[in-house]
Amino acid sequence: MKITIIYDNTVCHPDLIPDWGFACLVETGNHTLLFDTGARGRLLLNNMKTLGISPHAIDMVFLSHDHFDHTGGLQDFLSVQPTKVVAPAGCRVPPTATDVIGINQPMQIGDGLYSTGALDDFEQSLVIRQDDRMVVVVGCSHPGVGRILEAASGFGRVNTLVGGLHGFNDFPLIETLDGVCPTHCTQHITEIKQRFPEKYLAGGAGTVLQL
């Protein structure tokens, strides 16, 4: 599987624009999915163009939670590529989102793709299972990384964690993982890198993870 970070607070590609928010492209062979849409649609689409990503290749948008820095680009994206939106039940979506799946409970949403369910009735995370690998992509981890990993473990053993970890500091949880790519709102990126140099994967818009 391949994950390309499109929208993040930092960049690792000189022609991309950083901004507070998060979005990434998930490619599994069976699906091409946009996880979150950042805060600003024009910036999202600009970064996609710079990275050579066609919106028309995307067959699903997965929204982690109803905060502007994760959903703000949705309307502009749908105006270019009207496609299915998978969001926590109750998440606000623009009228242009005509094919919306509201998520409450853990469920399969595609070939090798699962939702943890909307934890605290608010935030879902994406679980990608391919062969013997399982990756969890998170938006901000508001319900807590421990709860998210526990929910994801219903689909198998989690190998890698990617995304915003907010104020996460329960570092022993990382010992069970093969890799961690902390992005966006993660407050302790430096400490994670120092404690787990062999597991740490650098983020930033433009990062491409082959997992």
Side-chain angles (χ1 to χ4, degrees), residues 17-160:
I17 302 169
D19 190 38
W20 181 261
F22 187 71
C24 68
L25 186 76
V26 175
E27 298 172 88
T28 67
N30 295 314
H31 292 283
T32 300
L33 176 151
L34 179 64
F35 179 99
D36 285 344
T37 63
R40 296 188 286 161
R42 290 182 66 183
L43 195 156
L44 172 75
L45 293 170
N46 180 78
N47 280 358
M48 289 178 69
K49 182 178 180 180
T50 300
L51 290 167
I53 296 169
S54 169
H56 303 295
I58 292 169
D59 54 42
M60 186 188 310
V61 176
F62 184 102
L63 297 179
S64 62
H65 63 296
D66 193 9
H67 279 173
F68 82 96
D69 49 335
H70 296 261
T71 64
L74 180 61
Q75 183 164 329
D76 284 346
F77 177 81
L78 290 177
S79 70
V80 176
Q81 170 65 347
T83 191
K84 176 168 59 179
V85 177
V86 179
C91 181
R92 292 164 294 179
V93 295
T96 47
T98 57
D99 184 5
V100 181
I101 299 174
I103 299 290
N104 285 310
Q105 302 301 318
M107 63 179 290
Q108 185 169 4
I109 59 170
D111 252 353
L113 299 177
Y114 306 84
S115 167
T116 58
L119 303 181
D120 294 335
D121 296 322
F122 176 64
E123 183 173 349
Q124 64 172 342
S125 298
L126 175 68
V127 182
I128 312 154
R129 191 172 67 189
Q130 202 168 70
D131 301 326
D132 60 345
R133 294 160 293 152
M134 203 166 82
V135 175
V136 176
V137 185
V138 294
C140 277
S141 304
H142 291 293
V145 171
R147 286 190 63 201
I148 292 169
L149 292 178
E150 181 181 5
S153 69
F155 302 109
R157 177 186 174 268
V158 179
N159 299 99
T160 306

Side-chain angles (χ1 to χ4, degrees), residues 159-207:
N159 299 99
T160 306
L161 180 65
V162 178
L165 308 182
H166 211 52
F168 167 75
N169 60 4
D170 190 3
F171 301 119
L173 286 175
I174 296 177
E175 294 173 2
T176 68
L177 303 174
D178 300 330
V180 58
C181 180
T183 66
H184 179 41
C185 60
T186 309
Q187 295 174 20
H188 302 296
I189 291 179
T190 300
E191 187 163 1
I192 291 170
K193 181 178 181 180
Q194 290 173 345
R195 284 174 175 254
F196 303 98
E198 75 288 356
K199 299 176 186 284
Y200 173 79
L201 304 168
T207 292

